Each structure stands twice: as structure tokens, then as C-alpha cells.
Amino acid sequence: MTGMKAAVDRIEAAIERKEGILVYGDYDVDGTTAIVILKAAIELCGGTADFHVPHRIREGYDLRGDVIEGAAAGGIRLVVSVDSGTRAFAAAESARRAGVDLIITDHHLPGPDGLPHAFAVVNPNQVGCEYPCKALCGAGIAFKIAQALLARRLTHRDQAQLLLSFMKIAAIATIADSVPLHGENRVIASLGLNALRSTVNPGLKALLELAHLDGRPLTSEEVAFRIAPRINAAGRMDIAADVIDLFTLKDPTRAREVAARLDKLNGDRQEEERRIVDAIEKRITEDSALRESFCMVIDGEGWHRGVIGITATRVVERYGRPAIVISRDGEEAHGSGRSISVFHLLNALESCPTLFTRYGGHAHAVGFSLPSSRVAEFRASVEAYARARLKVDDFEPVLNVDAELALDSITPELFAALQKLEPFGAGNHEPVFCARAARLSAPMKILKEKHVRMKLSPSQANGGNAGWRRALTYNSMGWRLAERAQREKLLPGDLLDIAFNLGHNDHPEFGGIELSLRDFKSLEKASAHGTT
């Protein structure tokens, strides 16, 4: 990988000379776990490493020159970024003036101005880098640096054991950051998930116990929806340094305390997310121009900046359009955007770069800051850009189905075969099946006001009349489908065409194969009722 040798040489020289090293990261899952990996690797090789993880509200994303200057004043001569720095031109200049060697390790796309001037840049997406796996996340690149560093300092046997430990953490980041699960990413995710069943790190063990995932193989879905949000909550709602503490604590009692704090922060995050989503829904309902926009830009005073990204995701899920949510804080505004597959959101921002004080991201997710006075100008600019490139048909949600699968064809053997395709995620999607005329065999249950549980059975037409035969009934979970199910007033006996993934519930009393509903279509109720 371009820059790797220079970076590892410089880190190794710092270890030999007993220089302090500052690892400068980001506040999300990818950034914090990357800090943990690289800091631990440096210390295992005999070095001394401190870390800085920015406060989302007070400092924002990316490297800051004042932080680097402060580190230099404290005697630091080497700063290594993780999951950040590709567009940190000003911070790189601050490092040069302060006499600090800056190594940038990142995976974000470089901008039109190229790369900052640094001692070394390790980013597979930089021009001229021939490294084949371009899609490593920030923690994945930190893992590769740790691997190169350990290869020089430790025996092969010690390397293997330590790298597997690092891979557990890198797997969490790889899944959480939604990078494609092929090539090295697939290896990291697969081996890391398998190794997580025998975790000994007190912090990681406490986190798995709290999520009721300890002592068994994990799926990528469980990591994405039960582990990653708890780690992310620290950076979204408070101070992400808690994550580094969690993974480096040796005392199990203290580790459980930190894990519990992360769990509470995640609950706070969910509540704040609900509040902002409700405000956005009200705005969209009342504003026809906003409803009809090609890129929805919604701003609000004092919205928590830690959750505007995930609320943008909710808007995209509901309306099928690119969405940008902006939190105004007096004269300054901060935004986060998410997109649909056919619209490159970072290019949209790069069409009006003079509006921003800073911005970055990739095709489907961006973040930025700009003066509040320019929000209206930004809204008009990005809307014009979107209208020139999108058509109304692009907003129609499309769910690709891999195969039709009758419910009475589902077997444990089929489920076991599908498990061999894991881990699923970006670039290796979980197979989606459809089944025709599944029968709702019991009253549906609404869970947490968002989700719906249904019992579904296969059905079979008989002589033109709806006839039922006794068959296995499957539990199914419709995540975030409760509102639709209630709106359609589904009743026992109704027939549904369904799209679903195959999952498994491990509950000792009612566990077994379970359907995860992706979508459903209600058939004629008249043909469903009155026959058993």
C-alpha cells in the first residue's frame, strides 16, 4: 500500500527513540476502534502512544491544527491519524509549522485538490496506489499498519494471536461502516465474528454480555444493530473516549460500568432521534415544496448534531429521496446527509464548495458545516443539482428479490446452507426471498410502537376456492413495519405476498427459524376470510 513503508518506518523509529506518539482518530465506531488497534499495536512493540478523539460538538470531524500544536507543545513529534485526515490541509500545515511529522491513515476519498502535505499518507484510494482492496474501512487500514508493525517486532506465533484479537475489533468496524464485504474485508469480518465468541477483553466481553450476545457465534446483523449503536452512542451523545477506555480497561467491574454507560447513552440517542424525526415528519407534512423536492434539506434550531445523520437515514428510508438534515446553532450550522443508490451526494456538495467551512464524505453519506445564513442558498443549490440528475422514477423504492421460496419449502438444511454464505452486508447482501399468499394465522403484535410480529403459514388454492392445509407456522418480524401493518388493518386469515430474509431466533422456548420481513402486499381480504 502506498505510504505504508514510510509510515511503519517512522513509527518504528519513534518506538526506538522513545518518542511519544499521538494517535488522532474520529468519534464513530470506525474511528474509535482504529485508535484502539493502532495504540495497542504500538504499545505491544514497546512504544508509548496517547490518543485524541475529537468531541463531535466542540471540535467536529477531522484533524484540528490547535490540537496538533498543543501536542507539539507537550513534546509530541509524531501524530498518526486514523479514519481521518485526507482533506485536512490546514491541520497538516499546522503540523509542519510545529515540527510534527504527520502520518495520515484514512479511507475517505481525496478531494479535487489532492492530498495534504504530510510525512506519509496511507489511503488505498489515493491516486497511484495499486493496493487491490480499496474498500478497507479506517480500522481495517489501522489493522494493516498494526500487521506490518508487528511483523517487524514480534515472532510469527505472537503475531498470529495478536492479529486475531485485533481482528475482532476490526470486524465490528468493518460491519458498522458498511464497507463491501469482499476481499480482505470479508476475511476480517468472517474471522473476527467467529473469534468474538471467545472474547477475553473485559470491555468487549461486558459489551457482548449487555447485548446478550456473549458465548455464541455472532452475525453481521447483530453487530450492526446491537453492538455498533452502543459504541457509536458515545460519540453521538457524549465523549467517544469512553470507547477507548472500554477496550483498554483491565478491571471487569470498571469495564461493566463503562459498557452500562454506553448502553444508557444509546437509549438517550434513540429518544433524541425520535424527537427530531417527529419534528421532520411534521415539517414534511405541512410543506408541499419540501415533499416534492428532489433532495430533501431540512434544518432545525438546536437539533442534536450527534443524531442528525441517523435521522437523515430515516428520511431516506421513508421517502426514497436523498436527505440532508441540518442543525443550526446560532450563526453556525452543521449538516449530515444520506443518499439513494443513483445519486452521488459528495459530488452534489462539491458543486458548491464555497458555501462550506468544511465538508467531506462519499457517494452516499456526507457531513459538513457552513454559516447559518447560507442554508437557504445551499438548499437551492443542491436541489438544482439533484433535479438536473434525477427523475421521479428514481424515488420509487425497489426491493430486489433473489428467488421465490414457498414457506413449506423452508427447511433447516436450507437455512444451514445459507449460513455458509455469511457474513452478509454491503457487497454480499443477504438473500431476499418472496412467498405468495402467506396466511396471517394469528393477530399481529406491535412491538415498541415500531415493529410488528406476525405468525404466517403457507396456503394453497383448491379448485378456485381458498383452501387451507395444516402446515408449519413461522414467526416473522417486520422491522419498522408496524405503521403500515396497522394502516392496512391486517386480520387473521388475510393473505399476504411477502419478501423476507431467513433468520433464527435462539430463545429456548419459542426459538427456531424466523422470517425477517422486508416488505408485504395485502391480497384481497374477501378471499381470505371464512375458510379454514
Side-chain angles (χ1 to χ4, degrees):
M1 194 181 299
T2 300
M4 177 68 77
K5 183 178 185 305
V8 175
D9 284 347
R10 181 63 182 90
I11 294 171
E12 193 170 30
I15 294 171
E16 291 291 340
R17 295 197 291 256
K18 307 297 183 185
E19 293 178 353
I21 302 170
L22 180 68
V23 182
Y24 195 134
D26 189 21
Y27 40 67
D28 65 359
V29 175
D30 194 18
T32 51
T33 54
I35 291 174
V36 171
I37 290 169
L38 192 54
K39 182 176 184 295
I42 291 169
E43 291 171 347
L44 285 165
C45 291
T48 301
D50 199 357
F51 71 92
H52 179 80
V53 54
H55 190 285
R56 181 188 287 263
I57 307 301
R58 292 194 293 267
E59 298 176 62
Y61 171 74
D62 221 345
L63 310 185
R64 287 175 59 107
D66 57 343
V67 175
I68 293 175
E69 290 164 358
I76 294 293
R77 291 293 173 264
L78 176 60
V79 173
V80 185
S81 81
V82 290
D83 192 34
S84 56
T86 292
R87 300 190 181 208
F89 292 92
E93 180 58 24
S94 295
R96 187 192 63 79
R97 289 197 306 265
V100 171
D101 288 336
L102 173 63
I103 296 172
I104 294 171
T105 80
D106 197 4
H107 68 121
H108 294 99
L109 299 177
D113 298 327
L115 296 168
H117 181 71
F119 183 90
V121 177
V122 183
N123 184 335
N125 292 300
Q126 65 182 295
V127 175
C129 182
E130 297 181 354
Y131 196 73
C133 188
K134 302 292 186 184
L136 288 167
C137 66
I141 293 171
F143 175 82
K144 298 304 294 185
I145 294 171
Q147 184 179 18
L149 190 59
L150 295 177
R152 297 188 183 186
R153 312 284 296 191
L154 301 178
T155 67
H156 180 75
R157 181 177 179 181
D158 289 339
Q159 289 176 50
Q161 292 176 333
L162 289 170
L163 288 174
L164 190 58
S165 296
F166 288 155
M167 211 174 287
K168 299 174 187 179
I169 303 173
I172 294 173
T174 297
I175 292 164
D177 220 50
S178 297
V179 292
L181 295 185
H182 50 64
E184 281 190 274
N185 284 337
R186 180 167 177 79
V187 174
I188 290 170
S190 181
L191 295 180
L193 285 173
N194 186 60
L196 278 169
R197 67 189 301 177
S198 56
T199 295
V200 296
N201 178 279
L204 186 53
K205 188 174 180 64
L207 196 63
L208 293 173
E209 288 174 351
L210 189 141
H212 307 292
L213 296 173
D214 54 311
R216 63 177 180 81
L218 268 66
T219 66
S220 54
E221 184 178 33
E222 289 170 329
V223 168
F225 292 102
R226 296 172 68 176
I227 296 299
R230 289 176 165 92
I231 297 175
N232 250 337
R236 291 186 187 280
M237 304 301 293
D238 195 35
I239 301 174
D242 281 352
V243 177
I244 290 84
D245 289 342
L246 177 71
F247 285 108
T248 53
L249 285 169
K250 304 301 182 185
D251 178 11
T253 301
R254 284 283 296 118
R256 284 192 291 270
E257 291 172 358
V258 175
R261 186 159 69 241
L262 295 183
D263 189 56
K264 181 183 183 304
L265 286 172
N266 190 47
D268 295 343
R269 187 271 305 170
Q270 292 171 326
E271 183 58 36
E272 183 65 11
E273 177 191 332
R274 280 191 290 269
R275 186 182 73 83
I276 296 175
V277 167
D278 288 346
I280 289 173
E281 288 288 348
K282 185 174 185 294
R283 186 90 54 86
I284 293 173
T285 300
E286 296 172 350
D287 188 341
S288 60
L290 180 58
R291 284 198 307 275
E292 296 168 3
S293 62
F294 279 39
C295 181
M296 291 181 161
V297 179
I298 311 111
D299 63 295
E301 186 69 36
W303 286 349
H304 197 296
R305 283 157 51 187
V307 299
I308 56 175
I310 197 165
T311 57
T313 298
R314 300 290 174 248
V315 176
V316 175
E317 290 172 347
R318 184 173 180 87
Y319 296 97
R321 302 176 184 227
I324 296 169
V325 179
I326 298 174
S327 172
R328 287 183 283 104
D329 184 12
E331 296 181 355
E332 191 175 30
H334 301 268
S336 188
R338 301 294 183 268
S339 194
I340 57 179
S341 61
V342 296
F343 188 65
H344 197 299
L345 200 52
L346 181 58
N347 285 350
L349 267 59
E350 288 179 336
S351 71
C352 51
T354 58
L355 295 179
F356 307 107
T357 51
R358 63 169 62 189
Y359 72 97
H362 49 78
H364 299 123
V366 297
F368 59 86
S369 59
L370 78 171
S372 294
S373 60
R374 309 201 75 172
V375 168
E377 186 180 354
F378 168 69
R379 179 183 288 109
S381 178
V382 75
E383 178 67 11
Y385 183 92
R387 283 185 176 272
R389 289 159 178 81
L390 293 171
K391 54 186 182 298
V392 173
D393 289 350
D394 292 328
F395 306 141
E396 287 296 323
V398 175
L399 177 62
N400 293 317
V401 173
D402 295 289
E404 186 166 343
L405 178 65
L407 295 189
D408 53 6
S409 296
I410 297 172
T411 64
E413 291 75 20
L414 173 62
F415 180 70
L418 292 174
Q419 284 183 296
K420 295 179 180 179
L421 303 177
E422 295 180 356
F424 298 121
N428 183 42
H429 73 266
E430 185 174 4
V432 179
F433 301 102
C434 72
R436 308 289 184 182
R439 180 195 183 200
L440 183 62
S441 56
M444 62 184 183
K445 295 182 179 179
I446 305 301
L447 305 176
K448 298 183 178 179
E449 301 179 356
K450 296 185 295 185
H451 316 305
V452 60
R453 181 182 292 278
M454 302 181 188
K455 289 186 178 295
L456 297 170
S457 302
S459 64
Q460 181 177 345
N462 182 14
N465 297 316
W468 309 108
R469 57 188 173 82
R470 190 176 301 279
L472 183 65
T473 296
Y474 288 100
N475 286 323
S476 66
M477 281 296 301
W479 304 104
R480 299 187 181 279
L481 289 177
E483 183 181 347
R484 264 193 63 200
Q486 289 176 305
R487 188 168 62 244
E488 298 199 22
K489 299 178 180 179
L490 299 180
L491 298 171
D494 284 351
L495 297 181
L496 308 173
D497 285 347
I498 60 172
F500 61 95
N501 307 119
L502 278 183
H504 193 275
N505 189 319
D506 292 320
H507 195 281
E509 295 180 10
F510 52 82
I513 293 176
E514 184 174 80
L515 312 185
S516 181
L517 288 184
R518 300 288 299 277
D519 200 2
F520 67 86
K521 178 181 178 182
S522 180
L523 303 182
E524 282 293 330
K525 291 177 180 286
S527 66
H529 298 308
T531 306
T532 57

